[in-house]
């Protein structure tokens, strides 16, 4: 269960196809890059303040 909830590899796997917000602060910048690459509309809007 620990792997499913907190492992970095699993969190990256869930972030990329589903765009789920990361459960770890260390992955936040990577998540912003994934979202901006997938949906260019929110570029430069400061996603960290909306989620």
């Amino acid at each position: 269960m620990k792997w499913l909830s907190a492992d970095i590899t699993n969190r990256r796997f869930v972030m990329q196809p589903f765009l789920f917000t990361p459960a770890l602060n260390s992955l936040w910048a990577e998540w912003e890059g994934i979202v901006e690459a997938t949906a260019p509309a929110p570029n430069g809007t400061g996603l960290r303040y909306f989620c």
Side-chain angles (χ1 to χ4, degrees), residues 13-37:
F13 172 75
V14 173
M15 280 183 351
Q16 291 175 354
F18 304 115
L19 300 179
F20 288 165
T21 55
L24 302 170
N25 287 335
S26 62
L27 295 175
W28 198 260
E30 185 177 337
W31 177 79
E32 286 179 348
I34 291 170
V35 170
E36 290 176 353

Side-chain angles (χ1 to χ4, degrees), residues 29-51:
E30 185 177 337
W31 177 79
E32 286 179 348
I34 291 170
V35 170
E36 290 176 353
T38 304
N43 277 345
T45 59
L47 287 171
R48 69 182 76 78
Y49 302 114
F50 291 111
C51 297

